[in-house]
Amino acid sequence: MDKLVITAALNGAEVTREQSPYVPISPEEIAAAAVEAAAAGASIVHVHARNDDGTPTQDKRVYREIIERIGAACDVIVQVSTGGAVGMTAEERGNVITLAPEMATLTTGSVNFGPGVFMNEPAVIERFADLMRLHGVCPEIEVFDVGMIATAKRLVDAGRLSLPLHFDIVLGVPGAIPGEIHHLMHMISALPEGCTWTAAGIGRAQLPIANAAILLGGHVRVGLEDNIYYSRGRLAMSNAELVARIVRLARELGRDIADAGEARRMVGISGRS
Ligand code: KMH
Ligand code: ZN
C-alpha cells in the first residue's frame, strides 16, 4: 500500500479554549502546533485563522503570518480553510485563496453543521474552484455527503476541476453523513477513478474511521478541530499526541508514513506518483 499521509487539523473555527485549553489560537501557537505535529508524522496541517480573542477570522494577514511562521520552521504542507466558520460570507472565506497557499479546502455542497448551516451555493463553489486554478492552489475536496462527490464530478466535467483529485471524506458532523465505516465504504465507492482520499471522523468517530482508512489504503486526518479527546473523558493534550497514535497504529498495520515531499506527489501538488 502507499505510504500514509496524515493531516493534522490543528484548531478549526469552532473549538473554544473553554472546551480545550490545548487548542492553538495565535499564529505563534498554530505554528508551534504545526511543528510538533509534523515532527510526530503529519505531512499536511489544516489551519484556521483566529483573532486574539479566539474568534474565527478569514483575515488574509493572519493567514499570511501562519503560513510564513510554519514555512520558516518546518517542511509541511499548509492547507488553509476556505470553509471558515458557519455564518461567514463567501467573500470573507474565499479571500485567503489569493495568498496562493500550497493547498486549500473546497467543500462541494451545503450541509447542516451542528446548530447552523455550512453554506456553499453552487456559484460559490465554482468561484472558489476557479480562484484556486488561477492561483495554482491544490484543492482538497471536502465532502460531507455523497451528493458532494457528484458535484465535484460535475465540476470536473465543466473543466473547473481536473482529475485526479484529492478528497477529504468527513464523517460524523451532526447533520451530515454519520461516522460509521459502512458510510465510509459507500463514499469511497462513489469517488472518481484514480483519486486519493483522506478520512476524517468527527468526535468519537475519529479513531475507528482512522483505523478503517489505514486498512483500506486511504489517508487519515486527526486533530483538535475534529476531536478534542484522546480517549473517553481524557482531553488530547496536543495535536501531535493524536498524530503519534496514528503513526503507531499505521506501522503496526504495515503502512509507512509519508513525509511532506512524498505527500505533495501523492495528493497532486507536485507531479503525482
Ligand atoms: N468550520 C466549518 C463550518 C473547512 O475548513 O474547509 C467548515 C470547515 C471546513 O471547517
Ligand atoms: Zn476546517
Side-chain angles (χ1 to χ4, degrees), residues 4-273:
L4 183 72
V5 175
I6 302 175
T7 300
L10 299 177
N11 59 346
E14 284 86 13
V15 180
T16 65
R17 273 277 162 80
E18 288 67 44
Q19 292 168 314
S20 168
Y22 305 111
V23 64
I25 299 287
S26 68
E28 207 172 352
E29 290 168 353
I30 293 168
V35 169
E36 235 196 318
S43 46
I44 302 177
V45 289
H46 169 73
V47 296
H48 285 252
R50 303 283 192 110
N51 294 310
D52 292 343
D53 65 359
T55 54
T57 177
Q58 288 294 105
D59 188 329
K60 265 171 71 170
R61 286 168 304 184
V62 185
Y63 273 108
R64 186 182 289 118
E65 184 178 347
I66 293 168
I67 294 167
E68 285 176 359
R69 279 183 182 272
I70 296 174
C74 66
D75 185 22
V76 69
I77 299 164
V78 181
Q79 179 195 88
V80 303
S81 171
T82 66
V86 164
M88 286 179 172
T89 65
E91 284 65 34
E92 279 178 275
R93 286 167 41 195
N95 248 333
V96 65
I97 300 168
T98 62
L99 286 175
E102 277 197 280
M103 202 174 202
T105 53
L106 177 64
T107 300
T108 48
S110 301
V111 63
N112 284 352
F113 202 93
V117 183
F118 180 30
M119 283 293 290
N120 293 287
E121 297 95 332
V124 169
I125 303 167
E126 290 173 4
R127 180 144 40 94
F128 286 7
D130 292 350
L131 264 179
M132 288 188 201
R133 182 178 282 271
L134 182 69
H135 290 279
V137 179
C138 178
E140 181 180 77
I141 311 299
E142 309 289 314
V143 289
F144 294 72
D145 242 318
V146 73
M148 297 192 192
I149 298 174
T151 298
K153 287 179 183 167
R154 281 198 296 277
L155 290 169
V156 169
D157 292 343
R160 292 191 133 104
L161 294 175
S162 23
L163 294 176
L165 289 163
H166 180 69
F167 285 82
D168 180 33
I169 303 172
V170 186
L171 303 105
V173 169
I177 198 162
E180 289 158 23
I181 291 168
H182 63 106
H183 291 309
L184 174 62
M185 302 294 292
H186 180 57
M187 295 286 273
I188 298 165
S189 74
L191 295 177
E193 188 94 14
C195 290
T196 49
W197 57 274
T198 288
I202 303 301
R204 66 173 66 103
Q206 186 161 90
L207 194 53
I209 291 294
N211 274 290
I214 294 168
L215 289 168
L216 291 166
H219 303 284
V220 169
R221 168 170 139 169
V222 291
L224 298 179
E225 170 168 350
D226 299 341
N227 164 45
I228 58 173
Y229 290 101
Y230 186 83
S231 56
R232 200 184 174 89
R234 202 279 252 171
L235 288 172
M237 288 191 294
S238 65
N239 284 282
E241 187 181 31
L242 294 168
V243 170
R245 173 166 58 183
I246 298 302
V247 170
R248 291 194 300 275
L249 289 165
R251 293 216 166 109
E252 285 293 318
L253 293 169
R255 298 266 316 257
D256 289 330
I257 309 300
D259 63 25
E262 291 163 335
R264 283 186 183 98
R265 288 189 290 280
M266 289 163 79
V267 303
I269 292 174
S270 55
R272 287 227 174 204
S273 58

